[in-house]
Amino acid sequence: MLLAVALLAAVAMPAFAGPFEDAVAQFSEATFADSEAAVARLAVTGSPMAATIINALQDGRLYADSDAKKVYLKGADGKVTDAVTGAAVSDIPDNASKLRLNNKLRRAIEAALGSLTLLSPDPAKRVQAAQTVFKSRDVAALPAIDSALKTETNPAAKTAFAEARAAILLFSPNATESDKLDAVATIRARGDQEALALLSDLPPDQSAAVKAAAASAVKSIQHSLALWSALQNAWYGLSLGSVLLLAAIGLAITFGVMGVINMAHGEMVMIGAYVTFVVQDIIRTSYPGLFDYSLLIAVPLAFAVAGAIGVLIERTIIRFLYGRPLETLLATWGLSLVLQQAVRTIFGPNNREVGNPSWMSGAFEVGQIAITNNRLWILCFTLAVFAILLAMLRYTSLGLQMRAVTQNRRMAASMGIATSRVDALTFGLGSGIAGIAGVALSQIDNVSPNLGQSYIIDSFMVVVFGGVGNLWGTLVGAFTLGIANKFLEPVAGAVLGKIAILVLIILFIQKRPRGLFALKGRAVEA
């Protein structure tokens, strides 16, 4: 009698199985429709295994035996378990086949996973889950969203939940007009491209009030996005301007003070970048714990190496070519080729890897503007170098001597200033600043023998446009050209934008040959 009762209970067990077991069992039908229904049912069971099974389906690790009505889960470690009981299985049966996915099922999986993490203890995961629901607009997630909204205390997550709820209601045929108007207002407040796409894609069967509110919201978002786009371009322009300023500021010193057309200036930038590579390579192999300090170590080393090479160039080549600009141009151009080939011989022709320290990695958003940490740090670094250079020129004896030589070389010499020494130190200073420019540029550009060639023409344009020898002119010129370039690129393209900038500079120089801020000095008088 007892045996009969036990057998009867065993046979009747499936009829009284819980929601989780029923949802998993539906996968054994092995059709797309059944898998989609099973995912939706599994997401609302509250089982801790739900996310594991859905993730396995998404990764292609879920198998179903339609004959035995069994579902098997293959773990990331290769171990196989029964998806319902969690019991270990020696191997997947021959009759079981991997469950396939289509696009509709993939969307259902994403929506289900979003619903499952709505109540995660991590606020970032809750926000991410709400964003997933916002994109999927899955009506089945509405109860979970409403429940999460009642208990949510994190402002960012609460806003994300409200936006996800609004997206669902806008596309729900059962939502009232009042709910949809409130939803339009919520999406309008979000104000990004996704909000614009959502409101532009509303079903046609909306009331006149909802259509009018959506149309007004679309216009408002488009206007707001246009303003944010202009601000984003302005930021990109400032970022490019900081790079141009950093590359040109050393050239402004040598060109402005000495009147030397130094075509090897870009190679000083390249040398600074390779110093950074060498420093990071040594740190990676011998002192990995110091990697976050690699740039702080590389900056003074790059300044010293590039500056020393600059002094050597001035003493051995430039000093014999003063007053002969054409010969100087040709000599420094030939020197640039020699330096490039030397770097190719030592380091090879391929790009070298230079990493970002942790404090320069990542990005953050301000409104609809994305700001990367490395670009922001480069901008701050550039302004700091500029301020230090201004202070050096104004408050140090070398700066005073440089300004004296710039204004009147003969008078400075008659006052006892060793102009040849000033020339050497000035060229070394300009080269050293180009070296630290290479440290910064290594964080945003490829470190290769051709690195300097990418910036030499732009550097000369900045110096000539701003005013030869005037650091403030170099600052204004760099940011002006950077911003103008970024506003022209979306309209004319990158190449035509650069050509347009060059033409505008030529026309400007025709009117103001001495640039934005004219400086009287040796180069002008010559």
Side-chain angles (χ1 to χ4, degrees):
M1 181 71 177
L2 290 175
L3 179 60
V5 171
L7 290 172
L8 181 62
V11 172
M13 185 71 71
F16 299 100
F20 170 75
E21 290 79 3
D22 288 344
V24 175
Q26 192 166 1
F27 283 116
S28 65
E29 301 298 330
T31 66
F32 290 130
D34 282 304
S35 294
E36 185 179 348
V39 167
R41 294 175 63 188
L42 195 59
V44 296
T45 60
S47 170
M49 282 294 295
T52 303
I53 294 173
I54 295 175
N55 275 317
L57 174 63
Q58 186 180 45
D59 297 340
R61 295 183 287 105
L62 201 64
Y63 295 79
D65 185 345
S66 300
D67 296 332
K69 302 298 181 183
K70 288 280 190 178
V71 180
Y72 301 96
L73 189 153
K74 188 175 184 180
D77 55 0
K79 295 181 179 178
V80 181
T81 58
D82 186 302
V84 173
T85 64
V89 178
S90 59
D91 201 1
I92 297 174
D94 294 336
N95 292 335
S97 58
K98 183 189 298 185
L99 290 174
R100 297 174 299 154
L101 301 176
N102 60 10
N103 289 335
K104 189 176 180 182
L105 182 54
R106 288 188 183 93
R107 288 193 292 270
I109 289 172
E110 290 175 0
L113 290 175
S115 300
L116 285 170
T117 52
L118 286 172
L119 299 178
S120 168
D122 185 354
K125 289 185 178 180
R126 296 201 297 272
V127 171
Q128 185 178 6
Q131 293 288 356
T132 302
V133 175
F134 178 89
K135 294 176 182 178
S136 68
R137 305 189 292 271
D138 183 16
V139 177
L142 187 59
I145 289 286
D146 287 334
S147 176
L149 265 173
K150 292 177 183 178
T151 58
E152 186 57 62
T153 57
N154 182 274
K158 194 162 190 173
T159 300
F161 286 149
E163 291 168 354
R165 183 178 187 276
I168 294 172
L169 292 176
L170 275 177
F171 286 80
S172 172
N174 300 323
T176 64
E177 182 180 273
S178 175
D179 286 339
K180 291 194 174 186
L181 289 174
D182 291 340
V184 169
T186 300
I187 301 300
R188 179 176 183 165
R190 177 177 172 127
D192 61 0
Q193 288 287 353
E194 290 183 346
L196 179 63
L198 186 72
L199 292 172
S200 301
D201 194 35
L202 281 181
D205 57 340
Q206 306 291 337
S207 67
V210 172
K211 288 181 178 178
S216 174
V218 165
K219 290 181 180 178
S220 174
I221 292 174
Q222 286 175 337
H223 178 69
S224 174
L225 288 177
L227 292 177
W228 282 113
S229 178
L231 289 174
Q232 182 76 75
N233 285 336
W235 162 248
Y236 286 152
L238 288 175
S239 176
L240 175 60
S242 67
V243 171
L244 294 179
L245 176 60
L246 204 54
I249 194 170
L251 187 63
I253 295 174
T254 56
F255 191 26
V257 175
M258 306 176 67
V260 173
I261 303 176
N262 180 18
M263 295 302 294
H265 181 77
E267 278 54 55
M268 299 298 106
V269 175
M270 173 197 68
I271 287 169
Y274 273 96
V275 168
T276 310
F277 162 71
V278 171
V279 168
Q280 288 198 351
D281 191 49
I282 293 173
I283 287 176
R284 281 193 183 99
T285 55
S286 303
Y287 311 99
L290 295 177
F291 187 80
D292 277 349
Y293 303 96
S294 59
L295 296 189
L296 301 179
I297 298 170
V299 166
L301 288 177
F303 181 85
V305 171
I309 293 174
V311 171
L312 180 64
I313 292 171
E314 197 281 334
R315 291 287 85 183
T316 56
I317 299 174
I318 303 298
R319 67 178 300 184
F320 303 107
L321 300 175
Y322 288 128
R324 298 154 63 185
L326 181 59
E327 286 88 341
T328 304
L329 185 151
L330 292 174
T332 53
W333 177 68
L335 179 63
S336 72
L337 298 180
V338 172
L339 291 174
Q340 287 182 47
Q341 189 57 46
V343 168
R344 286 191 181 93
T345 302
I346 297 172
F347 297 100
N350 298 327
N351 295 342
R352 292 294 180 171
E353 179 187 357
V354 174
N356 292 120
S358 60
W359 48 274
M360 285 190 73
S361 303
F364 61 94
E365 292 186 356
V366 177
Q368 302 298 324
I369 299 177
I371 298 177
T372 55
N373 288 336
N374 58 352
R375 292 275 183 175
L376 181 60
W377 277 109
I378 288 174
L379 176 59
C380 296
F381 178 69
T382 301
L383 295 177
V385 170
F386 183 81
I388 292 171
L389 185 59
L390 280 180
M392 189 276 293
L393 292 175
R394 184 174 181 84
Y395 299 111
T396 66
S397 59
L398 176 60
L400 178 62
Q401 292 174 11
M402 287 173 59
R403 286 185 288 128
V405 172
T406 302
Q407 293 171 13
N408 195 315
R409 180 186 236 340
R410 293 179 181 177
M411 182 62 72
S414 67
M415 295 296 292
I417 295 175
T419 55
S420 62
R421 174 178 171 274
V422 172
D423 288 337
L425 292 177
T426 300
F427 202 90
L429 177 63
S431 299
I433 293 174
I436 62 176
V439 177
L441 293 178
S442 69
Q443 300 300 295
I444 59 173
D445 208 339
N446 294 323
V447 177
S448 70
N450 299 320
L451 173 64
Q453 296 299 306
S454 305
Y455 297 97
I456 185 65
I457 302 301
D458 288 336
S459 298
F460 272 108
M461 284 198 300
V462 167
V463 172
V464 173
F465 176 66
V468 175
N470 191 306
L471 292 183
W472 284 108
T474 304
L475 175 73
V476 174
F479 285 122
T480 301
L481 294 182
I483 292 173
N485 193 68
K486 287 302 177 181
F487 274 95
L488 282 173
E489 273 185 7
V491 179
V495 176
L496 289 179
K498 280 190 174 294
I499 293 173
I501 292 292
L502 181 59
V503 171
L504 290 173
I505 290 177
I506 292 172
L507 295 176
F508 177 81
I509 295 300
Q510 295 296 316
K511 295 293 183 181
R512 291 180 64 91
R514 296 186 182 181
L516 283 173
F517 298 91
L519 179 67
K520 186 178 180 181
R522 186 175 75 186
V524 177
E525 290 170 352

